[in-house]
Amino acid sequence: MTVKTELHTPVQDTATQRSNAVTAYARTNPFKFGLLGALGVLVALAIGGVIGQLATVLVYIGVAVFLALGLDPIVTFIERRLPRPAAVTIVVAGVILAFAGVILAIIPLLVEQISNLIKNGPQMVEDFMASAWYKDVSGMFGSTITDAVQGVLDFVQDPDNFLDIGGGVFAVGAGIAGGVTGVTIVLILTLYFMASLRSMKHVAARFVPAYQRDTFSGLLEDVSGAVGRYVIGQASLALINGILSLIFLSIIGAPVPALLALIAFIGSLIPLVGTLTASIINALICLFASPLTALIAIIYYLVYMQIEAYVLSPRIMSRAVAVPGALVVIAAVAGGTLGGILGALVAIPVAASIIIIVQKVTFPAQDRKIVPPATSH
């Protein structure tokens, strides 16, 4: 007869003793054990509540870090010829001037064009209803479209309705003011983070054991570089779409071309679906000018999206992030589901960072395991 003996290591014995001690305490002091558990739940709920209250602040910090990483490659490029404080100062000045220039150039133009749209809105609706294209469509689908458009026209032409929506306008104004405040806070935090990015990386490395700091620092540089290149690439694509949209829509006589260009710029910041969504919105707004204008806008955006997908995006983003196409789709959809627009914006660089970590940490660790672990019987 063979007798099998079980081997126990000191670690296993210690874990067993702790488990037995907890079980014995729970049996002898059930009230105190339950009270400690309830206190733990309350502490967890309190921490969750604090995080919920600070959600907006945490979003500001996350966006600011994201933008600081995006501007860091520009600082590094200038740093080749100038000291880092001078490079940071130049980039900070450039960002402030660009932000002020956009505010001074776009906001008055948007206010003027939106005022003209409100002033000329009823006439535009009447011209739209008098067009041959509208008469053909209403003849095909009956009086449903006619009644809907006439209802919109009656609402716009009635001055009393503007009093009813005054509260909504005030809420929109408050929302815009809050948005401007948020943008200002993010801009200030971005400048601070950009100036202290290296010291932040150094402090982060201090939390890692000394024998792993070189590997961790290299990994951190790779991740931050991927995020920075992605931000610059995506912003470049959005800027190209915004400028070309402003030029083309102004040429074809689209309504509020500055607003439409801003929509195109913001849409292009969102991966995958952003450009398509902004193009559809702009084409629908162009429909108020004339069906021909909307058709020309649709053709333009179809051509532009092909050029962006096969010419601009590969050239600009090829050096930014090396993420397979399937993972791009999955990351963008998952990010948009979890975090809305901001989630979709950061999803791809997060996916690229995970790929870098897997390639430089997980895979080497697995490659070093060439001998199976010893088993005890």
Side-chain angles (χ1 to χ4, degrees):
M1 179 181 295
T2 302
V3 179
K4 295 183 180 180
T5 59
E6 294 184 357
L7 300 178
H8 296 279
T9 63
V11 176
Q12 291 175 338
D13 293 338
T14 302
T16 303
Q17 292 174 1
R18 290 178 179 175
S19 177
N20 293 335
V22 172
T23 303
Y25 181 80
R27 289 177 178 176
T28 57
N29 300 279
F31 177 77
K32 292 182 179 180
F33 189 79
L35 181 60
L36 290 176
L39 290 177
V41 173
L42 291 176
V43 171
L45 292 175
I47 294 175
V50 171
I51 294 176
Q53 293 293 329
L54 297 177
T56 303
V57 178
L58 295 177
V59 169
Y60 288 163
I61 294 174
V63 174
V65 172
F66 189 70
L67 295 178
L69 292 175
L71 293 173
D72 188 61
I74 302 177
V75 176
T76 303
F77 177 78
I78 300 176
E79 195 178 2
R80 297 175 183 175
R81 300 176 181 176
L82 296 174
R84 183 171 180 83
V88 172
T89 302
I90 292 174
V91 174
V92 167
V95 170
I96 294 176
L97 290 176
F99 182 74
V102 169
I103 296 296
L104 295 177
I106 297 296
I107 297 301
L109 187 60
L110 287 178
V111 172
E112 179 184 356
Q113 293 186 353
I114 292 175
S115 299
N116 292 334
L117 181 64
I118 295 175
K119 179 180 178 181
N120 301 325
Q123 185 62 40
M124 292 174 61
V125 176
E126 290 180 355
D127 294 340
F128 177 72
M129 294 179 62
S131 64
W133 176 83
Y134 172 77
K135 293 180 179 178
D136 295 336
V137 172
S138 60
M140 293 174 58
F141 295 97
S143 61
T144 303
I145 297 179
T146 304
D147 295 339
V149 176
Q150 187 62 45
V152 173
L153 182 61
D154 293 339
F155 181 85
V156 174
Q157 290 177 335
D158 189 358
D160 295 334
N161 291 324
F162 290 100
L163 298 177
D164 297 333
I165 63 175
V169 172
F170 178 78
V172 172
I176 293 175
V180 172
T181 303
V183 170
T184 304
I185 294 174
V186 169
L187 179 61
I188 295 173
L189 289 176
T190 300
L191 301 181
Y192 277 115
F193 289 154
M194 185 174 57
S196 59
L197 192 59
R198 285 191 175 177
S199 61
M200 291 170 60
K201 293 179 180 178
H202 178 71
V203 171
R206 294 290 299 274
F207 287 95
V208 179
Y211 63 91
Q212 292 181 340
R213 283 178 188 169
D214 292 338
T215 303
F216 177 80
S217 298
L219 183 64
L220 190 60
E221 290 295 335
D222 291 338
V223 170
S224 61
V227 174
R229 291 190 298 271
Y230 170 79
V231 173
I232 292 178
Q234 199 68 31
S236 300
L237 290 175
L239 186 62
I240 292 173
N241 190 12
I243 293 175
L244 293 180
S245 296
L246 178 61
I247 296 174
F248 184 80
L249 295 175
S250 299
I251 292 175
I252 65 175
V256 289
L259 179 61
L260 300 186
L262 183 62
I263 293 174
F265 173 80
I266 296 175
S268 293
L269 292 174
I270 305 173
L272 297 179
V273 298
T275 302
L276 177 61
T277 304
S279 301
I280 294 175
I281 294 174
N282 288 351
L284 291 176
I285 295 177
C286 289
L287 193 62
F288 285 97
S290 69
L292 179 61
T293 304
L295 179 61
I296 295 175
I298 292 173
I299 295 174
Y300 162 75
Y301 279 115
L302 288 175
V303 173
Y304 172 77
M305 283 188 289
Q306 299 302 314
I307 296 175
E308 180 184 88
Y310 294 103
V311 179
L312 297 177
S313 185
R315 291 179 180 272
I316 294 176
M317 302 297 289
S318 60
R319 298 181 180 181
V321 287
V323 182
L327 289 183
V328 170
V329 177
I330 295 172
V333 174
T337 302
L338 295 175
I341 295 178
L342 289 177
L345 286 176
V346 304
I348 296 178
V350 168
S353 302
I354 294 174
I355 290 176
I356 292 174
I357 294 173
V358 170
Q359 289 177 345
K360 296 200 172 186
V361 176
T362 305
F363 288 168
Q366 296 299 322
D367 292 338
R368 289 192 294 268
K369 298 177 182 178
I370 59 177
V371 178
T375 58
S376 59
H377 299 284

